[in-house]
Amino acid sequence: MSTNEMECKARELRQLQALIDEATAEAEAIKDALKAAMGDAESVQAGEYKITWKAVTSARIDTGALRKALPDVAAAFTKESTVRRFCVA
């Protein structure tokens, strides 16, 4: 692929990403409006749609606190991974 072709693809990618960002922001605004309308209700039937907004509890390990309290244990169970980050600036 030539430099000109790469530039065109990068421009197209940025335009598509802008559309995605705009659609995501619009979707979040709609979600926020629905949540506000639901108030404290966990579930609402709206015509053919059942809308739920429930509390979910999860348990996660606080790795920072673990490293502080038991650094040897934290080091023994730490797994490194390498990824390639793609960015168009």
Side-chain angles (χ1 to χ4, degrees):
M1 185 179 295
S2 72
T3 303
N4 284 343
E5 290 171 320
M6 289 181 74
E7 181 182 13
C8 287
K9 289 293 183 189
R11 183 177 297 110
E12 183 180 358
L13 177 62
R14 287 189 124 183
Q15 290 170 345
L16 288 172
Q17 191 60 54
L19 285 173
I20 291 168
D21 293 344
E22 183 180 322
T24 300
E26 189 173 334
E28 286 302 316
I30 291 170
K31 286 180 190 178
D32 290 343
L34 289 169
K35 290 175 187 177
M38 290 177 73
D40 291 334
E42 285 192 353
S43 178
V44 172
Q45 189 70 37
E48 66 181 274
Y49 300 100
K50 180 179 181 181
I51 304 166
T52 60
W53 185 29
K54 298 179 180 182
V56 176
T57 304
S58 63
R60 292 194 169 93
I61 296 175
D62 182 347
T63 56
L66 178 61
R67 276 191 224 107
K68 244 182 212 180
L70 301 168
D72 295 337
V73 172
F77 288 93
T78 298
K79 180 178 140 183
E80 285 189 11
S81 63
T82 303
V83 295
R84 292 176 63 182
R85 183 176 296 158
F86 181 78
C87 179
V88 177

